[in-house]
Amino acid sequence: QVQLVQSGGGLVQAGGSLTLSCTGPEDIFKTYSLAWFRQAPGKGREFVAGIAWTGGSIHYADSVKGRFTASRDNAKSTMWLQMDNLKPEDTAVYYCGVPDTKLNIWGQGTQVTVSS
């Protein structure tokens, strides 16, 4: 099910930057923690970054720490993922969603491709 809407992504050379955004219902942004996940071909969905509903607690996967920055503005019902110093290993479909995956709240996904 698609309950969040994503934009951004695309093709970029290694070392470049991209910004992803995620929007959705006000009730979701003012209630739940949110997270970014990614899925590379042949692999499972991987946690990338998560933000508590207050915006005061942010966690990153070791693979992206220091390169990616997650943020949210609940008043705008928007979350972003700023990706800097991208590497070919970052190539994947990126999803925003509620980290309690039992709730099954996801964006539609957006492709990020990083060339060497």
Side-chain angles (χ1 to χ4, degrees), residues 52-67:
W53 72 272
T54 62
S57 180
I58 305 176
H59 300 275
Y60 297 95
D62 288 343
S63 59
V64 306
K65 191 173 298 182
R67 300 188 298 117

Side-chain angles (χ1 to χ4, degrees), residues 5-46:
V5 179
Q6 299 177 224
S7 63
L11 174 64
V12 66
Q13 292 183 331
S17 299
L18 288 171
T19 302
L20 308 180
S21 67
C22 174
T23 65
E26 179 181 351
D27 288 349
I28 291 177
F29 277 81
K30 292 186 176 181
T31 303
Y32 297 111
S33 298
L34 294 169
W36 292 96
F37 302 81
R38 65 187 183 186
Q39 187 167 17
K43 297 183 179 180
R45 193 163 293 187
E46 175 191 15

